[in-house]
Coordinates of all heavy atoms in Angstrom, one line a residue:
E1066 N -39.0 62.2 -12.9 CA -37.9 61.3 -12.9 C -37.7 60.7 -14.3 O -36.6 60.3 -14.6 CB -38.1 60.1 -11.9 CG -38.1 60.6 -10.4 CD -39.4 61.2 -10.0 OE1 -40.5 60.9 -10.6 OE2 -39.5 62.0 -9.1
E1067 N -38.7 60.6 -15.1 CA -38.6 60.1 -16.5 C -37.9 61.1 -17.3 O -37.5 60.6 -18.5 CB -40.0 59.9 -17.0 CG -40.9 58.9 -16.3 CD -42.2 58.8 -16.8 OE1 -43.0 59.8 -16.7 OE2 -42.6 57.8 -17.6
E1081 N -27.0 76.9 -15.3 CA -27.4 76.6 -14.0 C -28.7 75.9 -13.9 O -29.3 75.8 -14.9 CB -27.4 77.9 -13.1 CG -28.5 78.9 -13.7 CD -28.5 80.2 -12.9 OE1 -29.0 80.2 -11.8 OE2 -27.9 81.2 -13.4
Y1086 N -41.2 71.1 -13.6 CA -42.3 70.6 -12.9 C -43.4 70.1 -13.9 O -43.3 70.3 -15.1 CB -42.9 71.8 -12.0 CG -43.3 73.0 -12.8 CD1 -44.7 73.3 -13.3 CD2 -42.4 74.0 -13.1 CE1 -45.0 74.3 -14.0 CE2 -42.8 75.2 -13.9 CZ -44.1 75.4 -14.3 OH -44.4 76.4 -14.9
N1088 N -47.6 69.8 -14.6 CA -48.9 70.5 -14.3 C -49.8 69.9 -15.4 O -49.6 70.2 -16.6 CB -48.9 72.0 -14.3 CG -50.1 72.7 -13.9 OD1 -51.0 71.9 -13.6 ND2 -50.1 74.0 -13.9
E1095 N -38.0 75.6 -17.0 CA -37.8 77.1 -17.2 C -36.4 77.5 -16.6 O -36.1 77.2 -15.4 CB -38.9 77.9 -16.5 CG -40.3 77.6 -17.0 CD -41.4 78.3 -16.2 OE1 -41.1 78.7 -15.1 OE2 -42.5 78.2 -16.7
G1096 N -35.6 78.0 -17.4 CA -34.3 78.5 -17.0 C -34.4 80.0 -16.5 O -35.4 80.6 -16.5
E1098 N -34.5 83.7 -16.2 CA -35.1 84.8 -17.0 C -35.7 84.1 -18.3 O -35.7 84.8 -19.3 CB -34.1 85.9 -17.3 CG -33.7 86.6 -16.0 CD -32.6 87.6 -16.3 OE1 -32.6 88.1 -17.5 OE2 -31.9 88.0 -15.4
Q1100 N -34.5 82.2 -20.4 CA -33.6 82.1 -21.5 C -33.8 80.7 -22.1 O -33.6 80.6 -23.3 CB -32.2 82.4 -21.1 CG -31.9 83.9 -20.7 CD -32.0 84.8 -22.0 OE1 -31.6 84.4 -23.0 NE2 -32.6 85.9 -21.7
C1113 N -49.3 61.2 -29.1 CA -48.6 62.3 -29.6 C -48.0 63.1 -28.5 O -48.7 63.4 -27.5 CB -49.4 63.2 -30.5 SG -48.5 64.6 -31.3
F1121 N -33.8 77.7 -26.4 CA -32.5 77.5 -25.9 C -31.8 78.8 -25.8 O -31.9 79.6 -26.7 CB -31.7 76.5 -26.8 CG -32.2 75.1 -26.6 CD1 -32.9 74.4 -27.6 CD2 -31.9 74.3 -25.5 CE1 -33.4 73.2 -27.6 CE2 -32.3 73.0 -25.4 CZ -33.1 72.5 -26.5
A1122 N -31.0 79.0 -24.7 CA -30.3 80.2 -24.6 C -29.1 80.3 -25.6 O -28.8 81.3 -26.1 CB -29.7 80.3 -23.2
T1124 N -28.1 78.6 -29.3 CA -28.5 77.9 -30.4 C -27.3 77.4 -31.2 O -26.2 77.9 -31.0 CB -29.4 78.8 -31.3 OG1 -28.6 80.0 -31.7 CG2 -30.6 79.2 -30.6
Y1128 N -28.3 71.2 -29.0 CA -29.3 70.9 -28.0 C -30.6 70.4 -28.6 O -31.2 69.5 -28.0 CB -29.5 72.1 -27.1 CG -28.4 72.5 -26.2 CD1 -27.9 73.8 -26.3 CD2 -27.7 71.6 -25.5 CE1 -26.8 74.2 -25.5 CE2 -26.6 71.9 -24.7 CZ -26.1 73.3 -24.6 OH -25.0 73.6 -23.9
G1129 N -31.2 71.1 -29.7 CA -32.4 70.7 -30.2 C -32.3 69.2 -30.7 O -33.3 68.4 -30.5
A1140 N -40.7 58.4 -26.4 CA -42.0 58.0 -27.2 C -42.0 56.5 -27.5 O -43.0 55.8 -27.3 CB -42.0 58.8 -28.5
Q1142 N -40.5 54.0 -25.9 CA -40.7 53.3 -24.6 C -42.1 53.5 -24.0 O -42.5 52.6 -23.2 CB -39.6 53.8 -23.6 CG -38.2 53.5 -24.0 CD -37.2 54.3 -23.1 OE1 -37.5 55.0 -22.2 NE2 -35.9 54.0 -23.4
E1146 N -46.6 57.6 -30.9 CA -46.3 57.3 -32.3 C -45.8 58.4 -33.1 O -45.4 58.3 -34.3 CB -47.5 56.6 -33.0 CG -47.9 55.3 -32.3 CD -49.1 54.6 -32.9 OE1 -49.9 55.4 -33.7 OE2 -49.4 53.5 -32.5
K1147 N -46.0 59.7 -32.5 CA -45.6 60.9 -33.3 C -45.2 62.0 -32.3 O -45.6 62.1 -31.2 CB -46.6 61.3 -34.3 CG -47.9 61.7 -33.7 CD -48.9 62.0 -34.9 CE -50.3 62.2 -34.3 NZ -51.3 62.5 -35.4
S1152 N -47.0 75.2 -33.9 CA -46.9 76.7 -34.3 C -45.5 77.1 -34.7 O -44.9 78.0 -34.1 CB -47.4 77.6 -33.3 OG -48.8 77.3 -33.0
E1156 N -38.0 81.0 -39.2 CA -37.2 80.3 -40.3 C -36.3 79.3 -39.6 O -36.2 78.1 -40.2 CB -36.4 81.3 -41.1 CG -35.6 80.7 -42.2 CD -36.4 80.2 -43.4 OE1 -37.6 80.7 -43.5 OE2 -36.0 79.3 -44.2
Y1159 N -38.4 76.3 -38.6 CA -38.8 75.6 -39.8 C -37.6 74.7 -40.4 O -37.8 73.6 -40.7 CB -39.2 76.7 -40.9 CG -39.5 76.0 -42.2 CD1 -40.6 75.3 -42.5 CD2 -38.4 76.2 -43.2 CE1 -40.8 74.7 -43.8 CE2 -38.6 75.6 -44.5 CZ -39.8 74.9 -44.8 OH -40.0 74.4 -46.0
A1162 N -37.2 71.6 -38.2 CA -38.2 70.6 -38.4 C -37.9 69.9 -39.7 O -38.0 68.6 -39.7 CB -39.5 71.3 -38.3
K1169 N -45.3 69.2 -42.5 CA -46.3 70.1 -42.1 C -47.7 69.4 -42.3 O -47.9 68.6 -43.3 CB -46.4 71.3 -43.0 CG -47.4 72.3 -42.6 CD -47.2 73.6 -43.3 CE -48.2 74.6 -42.8 NZ -48.1 75.8 -43.5
E1170 N -48.7 69.5 -41.4 CA -50.0 68.9 -41.5 C -51.0 70.1 -41.6 O -50.9 71.1 -40.8 CB -50.3 68.0 -40.4 CG -51.4 67.0 -40.5 CD -51.4 66.0 -39.4 OE1 -50.8 65.0 -39.7 OE2 -52.2 66.2 -38.5
S1175 N -52.2 81.1 -46.0 CA -51.8 82.3 -46.7 C -51.2 81.9 -48.0 O -50.6 80.9 -48.2 CB -50.7 82.9 -45.9 OG -50.1 84.0 -46.5
E1189 N -43.5 61.1 -37.6 CA -43.9 59.8 -37.2 C -42.7 59.0 -36.6 O -41.6 59.1 -37.1 CB -44.4 58.9 -38.4 CG -45.6 59.5 -39.1 CD -46.9 59.5 -38.3 OE1 -47.0 58.4 -37.5 OE2 -47.6 60.4 -38.4

Side-chain angles (χ1 to χ4, degrees):
E1066 295 78 27
E1067 297 175 288
E1081 60 184 282
Y1086 59 96
N1088 183 5
E1095 298 172 351
E1098 298 179 22
Q1100 292 291 320
C1113 182
F1121 287 103
T1124 60
Y1128 292 128
Q1142 294 168 0
E1146 297 176 354
K1147 61 185 172 180
S1152 299
E1156 183 70 21
Y1159 170 77
K1169 186 172 183 183
E1170 193 168 275
S1175 173
E1189 298 292 326

